[in-house]
Amino acid sequence: MDTKFMLDMCQLSNAEKGKKITILGAGIAGLVAAYELEKMGHEVTIMEGSPRVGGRVWTHRFGNEKDAPYAELGAMRIPSAHNHTLHYINEMGLSDKLCKFVTVFEEQNAFMNIEGNIFRMKDAPRLFQERYQGIYTDTRYSEQTRLFAAWLQTIVNTISPGNLRDSLEKDLRSHLMDELERLDLSVYFSEDGETIDLQAFIQDNPGFRARCSKALDMFFGDILVETSHDLLQIQGGMEQLIWRLVESVKAEIHCNQQVTAIRVKENFVEIDWLENGELHTRISDYILCTI
């Protein structure tokens, strides 16, 4: 649904003005909710259980200088189809900072860490024979199939949890190598024949996903997003969106407030929370939980 149309519909439905609303969670959802509710004329308070705002958006800076290096410890990429997020990036005046997000599989000098072994992407093919002897010694399959399977195993090992790594290894042994062998894989290799475009492969071959375990199939669905060539990022750190939202709301934001109870009464809501070991109560007309 178009973001502006959705917000216009909310405004039309806003029959009750001037309500006191408590929002649980100071992540991007809570901050956006506060921003929009205030525009509708409501009084908002935000309660956050942790010591920081931002939720999954967490930019760590290696120094206090303006141009200090930084790393994203949480959300770091924005799919181009995430229209709601892009709406608020524009709303907060950050559109000029949007730039392409380069994935680890697009940067040949990127470092990969698999089970304590660190190597550059560009060096991966030269290590495959050593790392995946089971794949490379199986002469029933072409060299191209074995190289593709090794890349597939490497990508899964790099960005997936351990149980999926085991699942892929079992699937390759039992039937997926046969599936790869019957497909034309040449179109998914780079010009030098050393890297693959896994996203294009997954998009073009739903039958391959259908033969994977359920968990692995879901992971490949995620890969379509995670390895997309049109992912975006905010240059200078994702937290800029958080701080622009914080500056744009009047709401008081209280961190370190651990909610212990919510009681819904006939005309109001009571919220109990712990802070510094003491129990407190807040009364609101409505409560909105975003955690």
Side-chain angles (χ1 to χ4, degrees), residues 84-103:
H84 296 335
T85 304
L86 294 173
H87 169 85
Y88 288 103
I89 288 173
N90 180 64
E91 187 91 348
M92 296 297 117
L94 291 168
S95 294
D96 61 331
K97 294 196 174 185
L98 277 176
C99 60
K100 177 177 170 55
F101 178 88
V102 179
T103 71

Side-chain angles (χ1 to χ4, degrees), residues 106-163:
E106 293 175 302
E107 173 51 66
Q108 291 299 293
N109 286 312
F111 284 100
M112 305 172 73
N113 185 339
I114 300 177
E115 298 174 357
N117 296 305
I118 299 175
F119 54 91
R120 293 181 187 271
M121 276 289 294
K122 64 183 180 183
D123 296 326
R126 286 179 282 281
L127 301 172
F128 285 162
Q129 190 163 356
E130 176 186 340
R131 287 194 55 78
Y132 306 116
Q133 292 185 12
I135 292 175
Y136 265 93
T137 56
D138 196 337
T139 55
R140 293 176 299 168
Y141 306 106
S142 68
E143 184 177 350
Q144 190 174 71
T145 294
R146 285 179 279 167
L147 179 57
F148 193 94
W151 262 119
L152 184 59
Q153 186 80 62
T154 296
I155 292 171
V156 171
N157 286 351
T158 302
I159 60 176
S160 76
N163 61 316

Side-chain angles (χ1 to χ4, degrees), residues 189-255:
F189 278 89
S190 58
E191 289 185 9
D192 60 13
E194 290 200 331
T195 60
I196 66 171
D197 187 340
L198 181 58
Q199 189 194 50
F201 172 78
I202 293 171
Q203 285 180 319
D204 295 345
N205 297 280
F208 179 83
R209 285 181 58 184
R211 299 207 62 197
C212 296
S213 65
K214 184 177 180 180
L216 194 56
D217 174 52
M218 291 175 64
F219 173 74
F220 284 140
D222 291 339
I223 277 183
L224 290 176
V225 174
E226 300 296 335
T227 64
S228 171
H229 301 302
D230 59 359
L231 292 172
L232 301 168
Q233 63 179 330
I234 300 176
Q235 187 176 27
M238 290 286 287
E239 71 173 5
Q240 293 173 96
L241 178 56
I242 295 299
W243 293 119
R244 291 285 177 93
L245 283 165
V246 169
E247 293 166 1
S248 299
V249 300
K250 299 175 184 176
E252 292 185 1
I253 303 175
H254 303 279
C255 292

Side-chain angles (χ1 to χ4, degrees), residues 27-45:
I28 191 168
L31 294 170
V32 165
Y35 176 73
E36 295 297 345
L37 286 167
E38 286 184 348
K39 287 202 297 184
M40 294 179 189
H42 301 293
E43 181 183 335
V44 178
T45 300

